[in-house]
Amino acid sequence: MEITVNQQNYQFNNPCSVEQMLSVINVQAKGIAVAINQTIISKSAWAEHELKHGDQVILIKATQGG
């Protein structure tokens, strides 16, 4: 299965959840938001939301500053 994360393609052998995908690509969950196919996925749903072949994932990192 292939998914795109922030315009970079990743191959996964098995279906995985958002939470599992973050672990595999080595991204810490703290301070980020996840959108899949232009829909924000709430953090409470990451463990259950399964990614599908061709999904477009955007990781948005919170920043501070002014």
Side-chain angles (χ1 to χ4, degrees), residues 3-36:
I3 63 167
T4 303
V5 180
N6 290 2
Q7 301 177 343
Q8 185 172 353
N9 293 334
Y10 289 89
Q11 294 287 334
F12 293 86
N13 293 329
N14 299 309
C16 66
S17 68
V18 172
E19 195 172 74
Q20 291 167 326
M21 178 268 305
L22 292 172
S23 177
V24 168
I25 67 170
N26 217 13
V27 172
Q28 291 193 357
K30 187 174 181 179
I32 66 166
V34 176
I36 299 174

Side-chain angles (χ1 to χ4, degrees), residues 20-63:
Q20 291 167 326
M21 178 268 305
L22 292 172
S23 177
V24 168
I25 67 170
N26 217 13
V27 172
Q28 291 193 357
K30 187 174 181 179
I32 66 166
V34 176
I36 299 174
N37 303 323
Q38 300 181 342
T39 301
I40 297 288
I41 306 300
S42 68
K43 193 168 188 172
S44 62
W46 289 1
E48 294 85 31
H49 189 98
E50 269 206 10
L51 295 165
K52 297 172 187 66
H53 177 75
D55 277 348
Q56 301 287 317
V57 180
I58 298 174
L59 304 179
I60 304 159
K61 185 171 180 146
T63 59

